[in-house]
C-alpha cells in the first residue's frame, strides 16, 4: 500500500513525467529564474518561492526546468531525491474521499510526513484563498499557513501579478510565507532563442520544416500585433497553429508568410500590411508627411531625419525610438504631424496614445499615469497594450512636476515601473510633446523675420526659445529631449493648400455615396479670405469649411437619399470679393445639383 495515497491520487508526478522525455522539458533562457527558485528553496526562512508573472511568460516552464535539473542531479544534495508534484486544486472539488477540505488536509499531512521526498507545485496559487470554505469554517489558505510558517512542507507557487496583489498581498500572513520571484516577459532576443528551441521539437511532431525566419516572425509579429498576450507563449501559439495548418494543407515548410497568415486570420489585418517592409515604407516618409502636413517643410525634414536614424538602429537602444518637443502657435499642424507619423511608422494614425496634460496638473497625477496596486495606470496600461505607438503629451507645460519627472525617466531609460511593479517598455514608442510655451516669441519672430529663416538664424532662434523654456521646464528635462522643432506660422498660400486638402477629404467621402463635388478657384479664394487667422492657424479654415461647405453638401445628400443616380454638386461663388478698404463680405455660395443614372 502507498505511503502517500492522497498525493499519488490527486497530484501529478512531474518528476516521473519529465524523466521520460527530458529533452522536451529543457528550458532555454531562464537560468536566473531557476537559480532564484533554488535559492528560495535553500533558505532557512521564507523558503517557499512564489513565481509572479503575466500569463504565458513561462512560470510553469521554470518549474519544469527545475525538475529537469533534479532528474539530472544538478541540484543541492537535499533536492536530489525529491519528487516534484503538481497539484490542481480543482481536482479536489468533488465530494469523493470526504470533500475538498478533507482531501487537502490529508495532502498536507502526507507532505509533512515525507517532506524530504516531496516538493509541491501549485499553479494559480491565489485560488487557495477561500477555497473549501463552503465545506467548513476553515479554508485551504488557513490550513496551509501554519505548516508553511513552521517549515513543515515546501512548495512552489505561481500566479499573475494582478492576482498576487488582489489575493496574496491582501493576507499579510500569507504573503510573509513566500519569497516572491518576479518572472518578466523575455526580451525579443530571449524569446527568439526559446521559440527556436521549441520549434525544433515541433518540427519532429508535425513533420515540417520551421525556418528561422518563421521563428523571428512569430516573435516580432506577435509583439506588434498581439500586445494583449505575452512572450514566449503567444509566439509559440503562432508556431503551433501554423504547424497544424501545414499538416492539414500538406505543406512541408513554414516561413514568415505562414506566420503572417495566422495573424491575418486572428486579427483581420491585411497580409500585405503585416509583411510590409519597414525600409521600403520609410523610403518615402518625408514625402508622405508633407502630403498631410502643409507649410511645415523644415519640421517634417527634422522629424524625418530623426526617424531614419532610429530605423537604421543608430539611436540609443535604451531609449524610445525618438523624442520630440513640438513648439508653435495653435493650429499649425503639431497634432496633425503626430497623426501622420503614426500612420507612416505603425500603419495606423490611431496608433497614438494621447494625453491632455491639463488633466494631469495636480499633485498625485503621476499615480494616475502609473497606477496603484488596485488600479491600472492610464499611461502604463496604454503602452503595454500598444507598445508600437506614438505617445503624445499635449500641452506638456500644463502637466505637474511629477509628470515631467516620469517623462525624464522615459526619455532616459526607455521604461517605467507601474504601480504593480511591472516594467513597461517605451523602447518601441515615439515620444512627442507639444507646448504653447514660446508661442508668442514664434509669432513675434515671424512678424519681424518672416517664416523662411536661414539655417543659422533658425538655430539662433531655437536657442533663444530653449532658454525661454527654462521658465516652465527644468534644464535636465529639456536636455533629454531628442529634437525641439519649431512650427511656422501659416501664410495664406499654406492655408489655401489646407483648404484643398479638406475639400479632397470631403470628395473622397462623397464618392462612397456616388456623389461628386465640382468647384473652381473662386471657392478657394472665398474660403481662404474668410477662414484665415494667423493666430489660430488651420483651425478657422477647417471650421469654416465644415459650416459652409460640408453642412450644405450633407443637406443635399440627405434630400436625395435612396436614389439610384449619381449626384454632381456644383458650388459657385456669387458676387465679387471685397476690396482692401471694405470689411463686409458680400459673396455667397450657391449650390446646384445634377444627376445621372448609375452605369
Amino acid at each position: 500500500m502507498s505511503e502517500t495515497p492522497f498525493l499519488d491520487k490527486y497530484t501529478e508526478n512531474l518528476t516521473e513525467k519529465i524523466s521520460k522525455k527530458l529533452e522536451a522539458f529543457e528550458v532555454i533562457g531562464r537560468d536566473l529564474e531557476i537559480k532564484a527558485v533554488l535559492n528560495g528553496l535553500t533558505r532557512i526562512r521564507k523558503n517557499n518561492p512564489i513565481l509572479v508573472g503575466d500569463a504565458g511568460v513561462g512560470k510553469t516552464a521554470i518549474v519544469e526546468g527545475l525538475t529537469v535539473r533534479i532528474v539530472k542531479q544538478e541540484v543541492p544534495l537535499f533536492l536530489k531525491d525529491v519528487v516534484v508534484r503538481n497539484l490542481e486544486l480543482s481536482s479536489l472539488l468533488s465530494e469523493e474521499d470526504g470533500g475538498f477540505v478533507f482531501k487537502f488536509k490529508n495532502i498536507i499531512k502526507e507532505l509533512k510526513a515525507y517532506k524530504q521526498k516531496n516538493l509541491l507545485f501549485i499553479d494559480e496559487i491565489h485560488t487557495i484563498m477561500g477555497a473549501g470554505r463552503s465545506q467548513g469554517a476553515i479554508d485551504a489558505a488557513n490550513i496551509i499557513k501554519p505548516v508553511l510558517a513552521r517549515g513543515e512542507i515546501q512548495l512552489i507557487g505561481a500566479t499573475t501579478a494582478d492576482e498576487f496583489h488582489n489575493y496574496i498581498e491582501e493576507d499579510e500572513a500569507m504573503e510573509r510565507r513566500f519569497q516572491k520571484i518576479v518572472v518578466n516577459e523575455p526580451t525579443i532576443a530571449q524569446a527568439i532563442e526559446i521559440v527556436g528551441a521549441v520549434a525544433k521539437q515541433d518540427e519532429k511532431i508535425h513533420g515540417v520544416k520551421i525556418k528561422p525566419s518563421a521563428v523571428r516572425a512569430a516573435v516580432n509579429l506577435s509583439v506588434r500585433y498581439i500586445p494583449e498576450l505575452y512572450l514566449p507563449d503567444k509566439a509559440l501559439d503562432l508556431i503551433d497553429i501554423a504547424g497544424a495548418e501545414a499538416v492539414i494543407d500538406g505543406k512541408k515548410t513554414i516561413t514568415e508568410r505562414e506566420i503572417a497568415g495566422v495573424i491575418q486570420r486572428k486579427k483581420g489585418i491585411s497580409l500585405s500590411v503585416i509583411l510590409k517592409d519597414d525600409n521600403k515604407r520609410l523610403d518615402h516618409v518625408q514625402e508622405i508627411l508633407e502630403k498631410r502636413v502643409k507649410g511645415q517643410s523644415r519640421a517634417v525634414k527634422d522629424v524625418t531625419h530623426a526617424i531614419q536614424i532610429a530605423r537604421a538602429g543608430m539611436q540609443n537602444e535604451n531609449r524610445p525610438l525618438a523624442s520630440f518637443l513640438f513648439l508653435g502657435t495653435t493650429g499649425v499642424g503639431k497634432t496633425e504631424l503626430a497623426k501622420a507619423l503614426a500612420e507612416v511608422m505603425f500603419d495606423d494614425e490611431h496608433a497614438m496614445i494621447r494625453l491632455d496634460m491639463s488633466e494631469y496638473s495636480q499633485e498625485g497625477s503621476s499615480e494616475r499615469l502609473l497606477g496603484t496596486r488596485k488600479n491600472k495606470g492610464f499611461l502604463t496600461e496604454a503602452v503595454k497594450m500598444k507598445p508600437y505607438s506614438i505617445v503624445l503629451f499635449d500641452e506638456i507645460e500644463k502637466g505637474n512636476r511629477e509628470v515631467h519627472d516620469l517623462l525624464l525617466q522615459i526619455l532616459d531609460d526607455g521604461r517605467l515601473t507601474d504601480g504593480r511593479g511591472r516594467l513597461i517598455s517605451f523602447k518601441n514608442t515615439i515620444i512627442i510633446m507639444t507646448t504653447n510655451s514660446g508661442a508668442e516669441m514664434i509669432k513675434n519672430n515671424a512678424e519681424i523675420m518672416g517664416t523662411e529663416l536661414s539655417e543659422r538664424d533658425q538655430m539662433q532662434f531655437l536657442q533663444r526659445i530653449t532658454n525661454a523654456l527654462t521658465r516652465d521646464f527644468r534644464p535636465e528635462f529639456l536636455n533629454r529631449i531628442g529634437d525641439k522643432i519649431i512650427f511656422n506660422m501659416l501664410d495664406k498660400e499654406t492655408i489655401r493648400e489646407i483648404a484643398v486638402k479638406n475639400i479632397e477629404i470631403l470628395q473622397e467621402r462623397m464618392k462612397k455615396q456616388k456623389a461628386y463635388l465640382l468647384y473652381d478657384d473662386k471657392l478657394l479664394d472665398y474660403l481662404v479670405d474668410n477662414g484665415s487667422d494667423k493666430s489660430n492657424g488651420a483651425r478657422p479654415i477647417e471650421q469654416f469649411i465644415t459650416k459652409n461647405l460640408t453642412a450644405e453638401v450633407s443637406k443635399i445628400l440627405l434630400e436625395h437619399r435612396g436614389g439610384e443616380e449619381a449626384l454632381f454638386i456644383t458650388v459657385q461663388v456669387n458676387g465679387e470679393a471685397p476690396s482692401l478698404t471694405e470689411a463686409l463680405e458680400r459673396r455667397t455660395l450657391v449650390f446646384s445639383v445634377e444627376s445621372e443614372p448609375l452605369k
Side-chain angles (χ1 to χ4, degrees), residues 542-553:
E542 291 167 352
Q543 291 165 356
F544 191 80
I545 288 171
T546 299
K547 183 178 178 181
N548 295 278
L549 189 59
T550 308
E552 289 300 318
V553 166

Side-chain angles (χ1 to χ4, degrees), residues 298 327 441-442 445 449 453-469 484 486:
R298 189 190 296 269
L327 300 120
M441 282 182 68
I442 293 171
N445 191 72
M449 304 282 291
L453 299 182
S454 68
E455 197 69 33
R456 182 182 175 186
D457 287 342
Q458 182 76 4
M459 291 298 295
Q460 288 177 343
F461 181 50
L462 179 58
Q463 187 58 54
R464 293 209 316 273
I465 281 198
T466 302
N467 293 338
L469 289 175
K484 301 173 192 72
I486 298 171

